[in-house]
Amino acid sequence: LVGHNIMHTRSVLTMRAIEIRNPGGPEELVITDLPTPLPGVGEVLIKVTAAGVNRPDVMQREGKYPPPPGASDILGLEVAGIITELGEGVTEWRLGDRVCALVAGGGYAEFCVASASTCLPVPTGVSMMEAAAMPETFFTVWTNVFERGQLVKGERLLVHGGASGIGTTAIQMAAAFGATVFTTAGSAEKCAACERLGATRAINYKEEDFVDVIKALTDNAGVNVVLDMVGGSYTPRNLKLLATDGRLVQIAILGGPKTEINWIPVMLRRLTLTGSTLRSRPIAVKAAIAKALQAKVWPLVDSGKIRPVIHATFPLEEAAEAHRVMEEGHHIGKLVLLVGP
């Protein structure tokens, strides 16, 4: 334990955590006792109060999204809690600090190790439960919409899946920065929720063609940026909507990884097709995103202009039920596991 500044006693050698028995359905998630991790150089140990549930967790449970090398094989990409140990070299945090953190795994547990550089202070007036729902979506939206997508004030953004955790975050963030936001969702209830969050128009993709609606709303001008997690058949439709110098940013491929596109409009309108994943990127990259969020977005959260949207919470031992709700797809916003006090 040399080099560790310890708040709780190391009598806490084991912790409750969710384990995947075998790749498969939600029923494969079981509560178990596992060794409490030790923070390494530049890391902190967090006593987890709450952990966010995300679509990649479902994919990992199914055996389709293994953790990157060196990451915990416990599910969970974001947590909020209290720092109880400081690894060697950590100077920016103190024992007892309330933080939320982006992690590459390990969130569905009573204790979780995080890089000190990917932790953020819990914003003013935000509960631990709400804070646990922020890192994965806020990091994803910032790096994809504002860094890769280069969205600026006065531009138009189309967000697919507006009622998802990513979608509810992207709508609020883009609107707060002065963009006009259009979105798609799969029910009247979801569309109404998106418009309450700041979308100018939410389109029920089951009843309307989003290409036709947005072309009509913009006098055929289209949008400057599309944030898409569908891929597949959506890709050529997204390209039809992009204005000159428009940017398509791909962050998931729920509709499949392959499609066919016509390169002529891409060349004529100077379109950019890009995308990214977050989990496997280097800590230094995630640390830079964290700094940008704290400087540019956290003040908007502190002031109440942006808040995480929580659909439901579940005790840690009911992680399987949270995954069932995630897979049913009726939720608006985020699902959160409540782990400790």
Side-chain angles (χ1 to χ4, degrees), residues 10 85 102 116 125 135-136 212 214 222 246 290 325:
R10 265 288 155 186
E85 290 187 33
L102 182 76
E136 174 69 13
D212 292 343
I214 291 176
V325 173

Side-chain angles (χ1 to χ4, degrees), residues 32 129 161 171 174 187 199 246 264-265 293 312-313 341:
T32 187
M129 178 268 290
I171 291 167
S187 72
I264 292 174
L293 283 172
T313 62

Side-chain angles (χ1 to χ4, degrees), residues 284-303:
V285 172
K286 296 174 184 176
I289 299 170
K291 277 197 172 71
L293 283 172
Q294 188 162 0
K296 297 172 182 174
V297 178
W298 250 229
L300 295 168
V301 182
D302 285 334
S303 68

Side-chain angles (χ1 to χ4, degrees), residues 3-4 15 50 78 93 117 125 158 160 165 199 213 268 278 315 323 337:
H4 291 279
M15 62 178 185
E78 57 185 351
W93 298 107
S117 61
L158 168 61
H160 287 298
V213 172
L268 290 176
L278 185 59
H323 276 225
L337 299 178

Side-chain angles (χ1 to χ4, degrees), residues 5-24:
N5 193 349
I6 300 174
M7 183 178 178
H8 71 83
T9 66
R10 265 288 155 186
S11 59
V12 188
L13 295 176
T14 62
M15 62 178 185
R16 291 187 313 141
I18 295 295
E19 195 169 48
I20 306 169
R21 281 184 304 201
N22 297 290

Side-chain angles (χ1 to χ4, degrees), residues 152-170:
V152 296
K153 183 177 181 179
E155 289 193 319
R156 293 181 295 274
L157 168 70
L158 168 61
V159 178
H160 287 298
S164 67
I166 295 284
T168 53
T169 302

